[in-house]
Amino acid sequence: MTIICPYCLSELSERAAACPQCGGRFEGRNPVGTLPVGTVLGGRYTVGEIEQVDGEGILYRGAENHGRFRVTIKEYLPLTLAAERGTDATLRPKLGSEVLFKTTRMDFADLYRSIQRITPANGLEAVLDVFEENNTVYAVMENPGGVPLGRWLETHPGRLSPEQVCAMLQPVFDGVAAMHQVGLVHRGICPENIRVLENGRARLTGYATVGLRTAGSGLHEQLYEGYSAPEQYSTTEFEGRYTDEYSLAAVVYRMVCGQSPVPAAQRLVSDSNPRARTLEPSVPEYLSEVLWLGLKLKPVERIQTVPQLFKALTSREYTEELTRSLPRPAPRQLTQPDEEQKQHMLSLRNLLAAILVLLAILILLMLWGMVSQGLHTATPPAASSSVSAPESTELEEPVTLAPNFVGMDYDAQVRNNHNYVGDYLFYVTMEYSDTVEKGKIIRQEPEAGDVIEKGGTVSLVVSKGPQLVQMPDVIGFTQEGAVSELESRGLTPSCFMVVNDGSYAAGCVVSCSVDAGTSVEVGSVITVYIAADPSVEITAEPPAASDSNSESSASSGETPADDTQ
């Protein structure tokens, strides 16, 4: 078994108290109950010093022994459920917490294995390996480098334009969208978990299970004031894609305004969060409107998806369209003082109405007496040759207004719904959409609230979901040719250099993360592996292209190519 120094990555002949090369000490560097520096996990990863501790586990600095590159290692160790670790490093649950310990450990493993399957995705910290040992689970991740976004903002004072913000965060938006496509929700998006790399592009880190990011779950929760969504403060509220949308909107708010939004828990009591344009007048009006919609407390009134948010941040026209499609907030419910004031006003109105009725009756009685007296004293007029017929009144037919079908599932909620089928005729057309779920109604004509006759026709546009394209065969293409071919089909290439022993033409495509002929969504990230020049020494590796070749690529010594496309 190879033993290396986690500090300088030099190979050691045997376990020692310190590295003979750099002098770095191993003993006593990590607290009791955690893994000592120099511990080897899975036969290939060396544990370094502790970097961070949360309610779910411990994050260690580490190294991969075969390829000699730095990694981070997350150990599942829930503080509220785990007992003290023995000298054999085996982790044991507390008495009475065995079931919850086991289920949350399974959640931890499932989360990181799911992320491993979608990375390398642009903007996400790649998960390289997940394995079980010491009665717990370990997730090994790449070391992305860079600095946290919060620290980057402190060292780069001044207003950021919307264009700068979107360019920096686009990889993060893409990564979160990739998580959502496989049913994952991050729940921890904040400046602390976004790292800005040397090339100015951002990458998202800080994965965690739902228990860590929800108050009252049984774990010692980790929420981020100003960035965690309102639904994360209650175990009775459902969390979804709109939860990450709230957090991303909060990050953009911080970047353009210079301060974080008011924490959601405080806003639920009294919503005093100012609009972005109020804090920073230079923020465009449409951008201020987007952030206001993105930070709505009620999920149903909020922008629903990350692609919708990003598109709105970059398009005034789309913002106007999105504003019209979102549900309007429900009328404000009256508080107790409001109710009392309302009852008081109603009492005054009733009293005034009664007085007016009595006065009207008195006046009518007086007029009737005067008229009756005149009839007895005056000569009756001749009868008119014609009698005026009372004016006829036309009865207005009830007006029918078109229901709101936008956002409804056509097959499940409209097509066979007897409340609609007997009253309207539907003309349906299908349309691709990156923002509206397949089967949901995008728009209608006439619009909701417009007058429509009974039995009238309603035109509905139903989403076909994201557009699919066929993955082209780019094996053997030059890097430039492969990038051009993929982009022409609406796909996003992400290129990595791999070691070339002379078997491949330098600068040409060796393999891709998706097989040729496979149907993929437009906008999907395709990892393209490029053969390096045989004379170039490569010491780092990219994440694996798939589960089947993850083991082989981990020891091949690959490194990212110029990934600026």
Side-chain angles (χ1 to χ4, degrees), residues 17 22 36 60 148 159 173 212 219 233 238 257-258 291 334 343 349 375 418 446 458 494 511 539:
C22 66
Y60 300 91
R159 188 184 73 85
F173 276 83
L212 184 65
L219 296 180
Y233 290 84
F238 182 76
C257 297
L291 297 178
L334 297 177
Q343 294 296 331
R349 288 179 183 177
L375 289 175
H418 63 84
V458 179
S494 179
S511 62
T539 59

Side-chain angles (χ1 to χ4, degrees), residues 120-314:
N122 197 18
L124 292 179
E125 178 187 37
V127 176
L128 307 178
D129 198 2
V130 182
F131 60 93
E132 298 184 13
E133 193 171 322
N134 299 326
N135 196 37
T136 187
V137 179
Y138 297 93
V140 181
M141 293 160 285
E142 67 171 341
N143 189 336
V147 297
L149 176 60
R151 191 190 309 167
W152 187 92
L153 292 171
E154 292 175 358
T155 58
H156 293 75
R159 188 184 73 85
L160 292 173
S161 67
E163 293 76 18
Q164 289 175 300
V165 172
C166 290
M168 179 181 292
L169 293 183
Q170 182 173 4
V172 175
F173 276 83
D174 293 342
V176 177
M179 291 184 68
H180 291 175
Q181 286 180 353
V182 296
L184 300 177
V185 181
H186 190 282
R187 300 182 181 87
I189 302 171
C190 64
E192 180 180 333
N193 289 330
I194 296 175
R195 301 190 72 85
V196 181
L197 309 185
E198 292 182 359
N199 61 5
R201 303 177 71 185
R203 186 166 293 187
L204 183 62
T205 65
Y207 311 122
T209 60
V210 60
L212 184 65
R213 299 284 163 73
T214 303
S217 63
L219 296 180
H220 184 67
E221 70 268 8
Q222 182 187 49
L223 300 179
Y224 300 97
E225 295 298 310
Y227 302 96
S228 295
E231 55 269 22
Q232 293 181 254
Y233 290 84
S234 171
T235 54
T236 61
E237 297 291 334
F238 182 76
E239 300 170 18
R241 295 178 298 177
Y242 44 75
T243 302
D244 285 344
E245 184 281 335
Y246 181 99
S247 299
L248 279 170
V251 170
V252 176
Y253 185 99
R254 162 67 181 88
M255 295 177 74
V256 299
C257 297
Q259 70 179 55
S260 305
V262 175
Q266 180 178 334
R267 293 181 63 198
L268 290 170
V269 178
S270 176
D271 191 1
S272 58
N273 190 60
R275 294 204 181 200
R277 192 172 174 84
T278 302
L279 290 177
E280 178 53 66
S282 62
V283 174
E285 180 63 38
Y286 88 94
L287 184 64
S288 181
E289 179 72 10
V290 171
L291 297 178
W292 183 70
L293 292 172
L295 292 171
K296 285 281 192 179
L297 293 175
K298 294 183 178 179
V300 70
E301 298 172 4
R302 194 184 305 161
I303 296 176
Q304 295 295 292
T305 69
V306 168
Q308 282 181 329
L309 174 62
F310 188 79
K311 190 172 182 180
L313 290 171
T314 56

Side-chain angles (χ1 to χ4, degrees), residues 482-549:
V483 168
S484 177
E485 177 65 21
L486 291 171
E487 289 182 342
S488 70
R489 302 199 181 204
L491 302 174
T492 303
S494 179
C495 298
F496 289 88
M497 282 292 183
V498 296
V499 173
N500 182 9
D501 60 1
S503 303
Y504 306 104
C508 293
V509 178
V510 176
S511 62
C512 296
S513 59
V514 177
D515 295 333
T518 304
S519 295
V520 292
E521 293 181 6
V522 171
S524 297
V525 177
I526 306 298
T527 305
V528 182
Y529 296 93
I530 310 295
D533 190 285
S535 62
V536 175
E537 181 181 356
I538 296 178
T539 59
E541 63 176 31
S546 65
D547 289 343
S548 61
N549 61 8

